[in-house]
Amino acid sequence: MPTTTSASPAAAAHRRRSRRKAPPPRQPWCCSFGLDPSTAAAAAASRSPLPAPRRAKLPHQLAPPLSRRIRSPGRVSPIDDPSFAATAGSCVSARLSSVIECPPPALPPTPPPPPAPEVERPRATLRLRLVEKGVFLEVDEVERVRRESKVVRKVLGGRGGEVAVEGKVEVESFREAVEMMLEDEDETAAMKRLARGGVARAIGVLEVSLSLMFDRGVNSCLIYLEAVPWNESEEDIIKKLLSQHSSYEAAFRNLLARLQPQRPTSSAELVVELIDSITKGTNNNARKELRNLVNGILSKSSVYIKGDKELDKRSIYCICHSSLNSLVGLFEESPDLVPADETSISSVGKGPLERIYKLVEDTNWLLQILIDRQMGEEFVDVWANKKTLSRMHERVSPMVRHELSRISATIFIAMGSGKLQCTGDKRFSFFQAWFRPMLVDFGWLRRYPKGLNVTTLEEGIGQALLTLTLAQQQVLFMEWFEAFSGQGRECPNLMRAFQVWWRRSFVRSLGSSS
């Protein structure tokens, strides 16, 4: 029984082994995860340990056969060989027909190695420095600024760095110019941008653009400034910029046309034309305003004729002769309209009187221009030789003839103040012709001065009279003494000049002992 007992388990084990189906014959490198004994050691030494194989999937979960290389734990299966591929295919088919026991676990694809991290290079920056204000603007788009600015391209090349901007401009204008470099703007957009800032900022942008040789900005500023008005201070800045950057002369052409004439003419010639136009005008108020305008231009302190030539003396005297001839003709044509005993405007006639007023006013204005330019000595001789007017003075109404004495009053004042340096003969000739009419008309000039300072006139007559010889002075002072004794304050008061003449003649004469 012991023997039976011992054999029985052995027989049972044998029967179980006999019932178990023999495994199919193992074929080498057929999708197998086993290692070749000859290469196992080398593979183990050359490769790192692999993770444990995954659990086998059920047949319906297996992936379809792969047509690419499959990486095994030891090496890559050489399935490119056709004979080996056929054998491997039959093996795979046989294994798929079995239940679970020999399915090769699918290895996950080996992920590609991560790309090497790129070393980030530091970005180049451009620093634009406004020297006058000590302000920096950093710009990252260096290449764009290099394309727009010739100065940046020349100084920096392809690198970043710093560029100094000269000029006394505001920070807003500096920033505006840099922003225009970084924007792709057409002409309309650039005009709108500049219009928002106004003329002063546009001039600043122009100055920065010229400093950096930013051509697109220069052209935009010039187009805008050519289309808008400026004041005098802005005009001076524009002139200075245009003179400092002669390389842009072609671009400045339209702007220069507003600052300098293409065919320059003398301002002196134009002034003569203006004077002639005023004397021919008919609107009294307009003529008065235009005279003030021309007087401002001709003033010695005026900036409008700085450095220009003197007025053409001959042209001015030509206009004077024309006015005086018209005045003589008017008196000769209508003597009956101005009788000496008539003193009312209605009896004289308003038309001829207005024409006389106009001619006297024009002549006096021309004479004052000549005196201010130190060219009036010739007029004294011309006026002294108008014998026709001096003879007709006695035959016309005092309300008309006193207008002639206005011209004489201007000469007396200028001569007494030393502004007219005539010879003694010319001075005495003038006194002979117009001193008596002045004594008669002085009362009318006092009543109707029209801007004439009567006190200044009295002082001027006395001082001018004292420039004559003592003998000539005696004749004229005796004539004044007689007129003043009869007319009183209707005559000029020459008492102070009379006293000076008396002292020089009888008290402190050169031949006296005192």
Side-chain angles (χ1 to χ4, degrees):
M1 295 304 281
T3 304
T4 304
T5 302
S6 61
S8 180
H14 178 73
R15 285 195 300 272
R16 284 196 301 272
R17 286 196 299 268
S18 62
R19 285 198 302 265
R20 185 179 299 172
K21 184 178 294 187
R26 182 177 181 182
Q27 299 185 10
W29 302 104
C30 179
C31 299
S32 172
F33 292 96
L35 294 178
D36 187 1
S38 63
T39 60
S46 62
R47 303 184 70 96
S48 60
L50 295 177
R54 298 183 180 180
R55 294 181 60 184
K57 296 184 180 180
L58 296 177
H60 65 277
Q61 294 177 323
L62 293 176
L66 301 177
S67 61
R68 61 181 179 84
R69 295 176 182 270
I70 301 176
R71 182 175 297 276
S72 67
R75 63 179 68 180
V76 177
S77 301
I79 59 175
D80 289 339
D81 186 1
S83 59
F84 182 81
T87 308
S90 60
C91 176
V92 170
S93 299
R95 284 184 174 272
L96 288 179
S97 61
S98 62
V99 183
I100 305 177
E101 302 201 359
C102 188
L107 290 175
T110 304
E118 297 182 359
V119 178
E120 184 176 357
R121 297 180 179 179
R123 299 185 61 180
T125 59
L126 171 64
R127 286 162 58 95
L128 298 173
R129 180 166 60 93
L130 185 59
V131 177
E132 179 70 20
K133 302 292 184 179
V135 176
F136 290 86
L137 284 181
E138 288 193 353
V139 181
D140 291 335
E141 301 180 49
V142 179
E143 184 60 31
R144 186 183 187 89
V145 177
R146 285 183 65 256
R147 291 197 305 269
E148 296 285 0
S149 170
K150 296 178 182 178
V151 172
V152 174
R153 185 162 60 248
K154 181 178 180 180
V155 172
L156 300 184
R159 306 178 304 277
E162 179 178 311
V163 175
V165 179
E166 303 290 342
K168 297 181 179 180
V169 299
E170 297 298 327
V171 177
E172 292 77 8
S173 300
F174 181 46
R175 182 186 297 275
E176 198 81 44
V178 176
E179 289 180 356
M180 289 179 67
M181 287 187 188
L182 302 177
E183 297 290 339
D184 288 326
E185 293 179 328
D186 56 10
E187 183 176 318
T188 303
M191 292 300 100
K192 291 180 179 179
R193 174 191 289 271
L194 294 172
R196 287 194 297 267
V199 176
R201 182 172 297 182
I203 294 175
V205 175
L206 174 61
E207 187 170 357
V208 175
S209 300
L210 289 171
S211 178
L212 293 174
M213 299 184 73
F214 171 35
D215 293 345
R216 182 165 58 86
V218 170
N219 293 331
S220 298
C221 292
L222 292 177
I223 294 173
Y224 171 76
L225 291 174
E226 192 274 332
V228 296
W230 329 309
N231 58 37
E232 291 193 10
S233 61
E234 293 166 345
E235 176 184 337
D236 292 338
I237 298 175
I238 292 174
K239 286 181 178 179
K240 182 178 179 182
L241 288 177
L242 299 189
S243 63
Q244 290 175 345
H245 300 274
S246 58
S247 59
Y248 284 90
E249 184 175 356
F252 293 161
R253 186 177 298 110
N254 293 334
L255 208 59
L256 287 172
R258 288 180 55 176
L259 296 171
Q260 61 185 22
Q262 300 301 317
R263 293 185 296 273
T265 57
S266 171
S267 64
E269 297 176 2
L270 292 178
V271 168
V272 172
E273 293 184 19
L274 297 177
I275 292 173
D276 188 44
S277 297
I278 292 173
T279 58
K280 295 176 181 178
T282 57
N283 188 304
N284 290 331
N285 292 332
R287 290 171 63 249
K288 182 178 180 180
E289 293 179 2
L290 291 175
R291 282 198 301 269
N292 292 335
L293 174 63
V294 174
N295 288 338
I297 293 175
L298 294 177
S299 173
K300 290 183 178 180
S301 60
S302 174
V303 298
Y304 299 107
I305 58 172
K306 185 176 182 180
D308 202 353
K309 298 179 181 179
E310 288 290 342
L311 292 179
D312 185 4
K313 178 180 177 180
R314 183 174 300 177
S315 299
I316 298 295
Y317 272 102
C318 181
I319 301 175
C320 287
H321 284 293
S322 177
S323 297
L324 292 176
N325 292 336
S326 298
L327 191 60
V328 172
L330 186 59
F331 273 90
E332 290 178 342
E333 292 172 4
S334 55
D336 297 336
L337 296 177
V338 285
D341 57 346
E342 296 292 347
T343 57
S344 63
I345 296 178
S346 58
S347 62
V348 172
K350 193 173 182 180
L353 188 60
E354 288 183 349
R355 292 173 62 189
I356 291 173
Y357 288 165
K358 175 182 177 297
L359 289 171
V360 170
E361 193 175 54
D362 290 341
T363 304
N364 240 347
W365 178 53
L366 294 170
L367 174 58
Q368 194 62 55
I369 291 176
L370 292 171
I371 292 173
D372 291 341
R373 313 295 288 188
Q374 298 181 351
M375 297 186 296
E377 287 76 14
E378 185 178 332
F379 188 88
V380 177
D381 193 33
V382 172
W383 185 241
N385 291 325
K386 290 297 179 183
K387 304 298 184 181
T388 304
L389 287 177
S390 61
R391 287 193 302 266
M392 293 181 65
H393 182 274
E394 300 177 356
R395 304 198 304 265
V396 298
S397 168
M399 68 177 308
V400 176
R401 72 189 184 201
H402 84 277
E403 291 294 329
L404 299 178
S405 292
R406 292 187 186 279
I407 300 175
S408 300
T410 303
I411 297 176
F412 278 125
I413 294 174
M415 195 177 291
S417 62
K419 293 182 178 179
L420 285 175
Q421 299 88 32
C422 303
T423 62
D425 293 340
K426 290 183 178 181
R427 293 197 303 273
F428 186 63
S429 176
F430 166 70
F431 269 93
Q432 285 181 315
W434 294 103
F435 183 64
R436 180 178 292 274
M438 176 58 68
L439 297 180
V440 176
D441 295 335
F442 186 81
W444 283 87
L445 294 175
R446 183 189 295 277
R447 287 190 291 272
Y448 305 103
K450 294 183 179 179
L452 176 64
N453 190 322
V454 178
T455 303
T456 304
L457 174 59
E458 290 177 324
E459 183 70 20
I461 295 173
Q463 292 296 323
L465 203 157
L466 291 174
T467 63
L468 302 175
T469 65
L470 290 177
Q472 293 169 347
Q473 293 180 39
Q474 181 175 344
V475 173
L476 296 174
F477 274 122
M478 293 306 294
E479 186 176 353
W480 163 81
F481 199 93
E482 182 180 354
F484 190 82
S485 63
Q487 301 177 24
R489 294 301 295 166
E490 292 295 307
C491 255
N493 187 351
L494 305 180
M495 291 184 182
R496 293 180 59 185
F498 182 86
Q499 293 171 353
V500 173
W501 164 75
W502 187 271
R503 268 196 322 270
R504 290 176 180 174
S505 299
F506 306 108
V507 179
R508 302 181 61 182
S509 62
L510 189 60
S512 64
S513 59
S514 56

